[in-house]
Amino acid sequence: MSENEKLTEERIFEAAEIVFEEEGLAGARMQTIADRAGINKALLHYYFRTKDHLFEAVFTKLAKKMFMKFTPIFEKDLSLEEKIRFFFREHITFMQQNPKLPGFILNEINHNPQRIQKLIKNIDFKYLWLTILEHHENELYKYNLTEETLPQILTSIASMSVFPFAAKGILEVVFENLGVDFDKYIELRKEFAADFVIKAITR
Amino acid sequence: MSENEKLTEERIFEAAEIVFEEEGLAGARMQTIADRAGINKALLHYYFRTKDHLFEAVFTKLAKKMFMKFTPIFEKDLSLEEKIRFFFREHITFMQQNPKLPGFILNEINHNPQRIQKLIKNIDFKYLWLTILEHHENELYKYNLTEETLPQILTSIASMSVFPFAAKGILEVVFENLGVDFDKYIELRKEFAADFVIKAITR
DNA sequence: GTCTATAGAAGGATAGAC
DNA sequence: GTCTATCCTTCTATAGAC
């Protein structure tokens, strides 16, 4: 009974994840979600009152899933170089399994920045990265890390891993023309990006 | 008469550019475009039969505008390093004036990859970059450029300049938390990105 | 070429039976 | 909890007057 209910709600939610990720909020249709969940449109509203509610739930879960992948960096007890290598390996592997997620998240946030604001407003980034700098104090002489370059470097790291997926649609077309295989390119990128960044920031 | 017609069509087109860029194909409303153009909804259909026709025209123009910014690199008679610096300066300046363009293009292509296929299918990228390698043959000893690393390097360059705008929504929120100004960050990036890449690819 | 009015379809949401 | 039937709004598109 409650087991069955749980199953239905779960099935709806999973269908919604796929459809929203594929079509975006504006492009997604409740009918499409219902069809994919194998149930009736009315049931969607029974479980999640409105389209916006359903989207909100899906978006929050997917956004957290995405950003959680960034946090282990701050905790692991590794050297800075090892952290960078660890990040690219883990994060790119994650996106291999969720290739449409980056584009979806970026796009929905651009359409409604306040969505992400709610999720991260209580994170103190300033404190967070001062902690990083402190924790790696004895390595800093090797790298060109300052309060001023840090935003540049961190966004460079993010861009190196996220961009290929956010631009997957274009890259696949260009790569086909070049005889390059997207999946192999991605596999290579895990190490290439790490080497690239480390080289760039080493004094 | 024909002058007036030209004016109206132009006004509609410009309104459509703004609305589509802001809302995307699925989110844009013909009524919004009409209002912004200061004319009636019916006139939209008089000039551009359907929403899809209008979108197609707008997308094609904007996509070309975006990708045209990549081509001067291949033509200018500069050293590789100067070309990289030139690219970041020009491309980022262009996006400062069109900050929503990258996200829009990437998103619409992901939703319908065949759109871009039509636009670039007759470009021979293979030939294009063999020409580059050839043209800079005498500098290649300085850089780690091979047939295998070239896709990695070129996408890294693209990502370094495009990503900050594609992720503008997130970055602005995070930066606010950090006391970093987005516009200053972008201004800095023109030189930072060039330094970063050149450092990374130099042997 | 431009407008008003409206058709016609699609999509989100609800009522009510089981 | 789940379904069918249907309402109501929104949106694209067209007809027809000027």
Side-chain angles (χ1 to χ4, degrees), chain A residues 20-43:
Chain A
F20 279 131
E21 199 178 323
E22 193 108 351
E23 312 286 351
L25 170 56
R29 295 291 161 254
M30 295 297 265
Q31 186 63 59
T32 314
I33 297 174
D35 291 348
R36 183 175 275 271
I39 50 94
N40 184 281
K41 231 185 4 167
L43 259 196

Side-chain angles (χ1 to χ4, degrees), chain B residues 41-53:
Chain B
K41 233 186 0 169
L43 259 195
L44 295 185
H45 292 94
Y46 176 79
Y47 281 104
F48 301 88
R49 294 189 50 76
T50 67
K51 187 187 181 187
D52 278 335
H53 275 69

Side-chain angles (χ1 to χ4, degrees), chain A residues 90-146:
Chain A
E90 292 292 304
H91 197 240
I92 291 177
T93 300
F94 169 71
M95 289 186 297
Q96 279 177 315
Q97 288 145 19
N98 303 268
K100 300 206 164 165
L101 197 46
F104 168 69
I105 303 275
L106 293 182
N107 189 50
E108 295 301 338
I109 293 176
N110 283 338
H111 280 12
N112 188 350
Q114 138 188 25
R115 255 193 255 291
I116 201 66
Q117 202 150 13
K118 271 197 331 198
L119 283 177
I120 66 177
K121 67 163 177 236
N122 33 16
I123 304 176
D124 187 344
F125 291 99
K126 193 90 181 180
Y127 170 77
L128 230 148
W129 88 22
L130 285 179
T131 316
I132 303 178
L133 288 182
E134 200 173 328
H135 188 259
H136 292 282
E137 208 167 6
N138 52 349
E139 303 176 75
L140 291 186
Y141 69 97
K142 287 165 64 180
Y143 306 109
N144 194 15
L145 292 180
T146 70

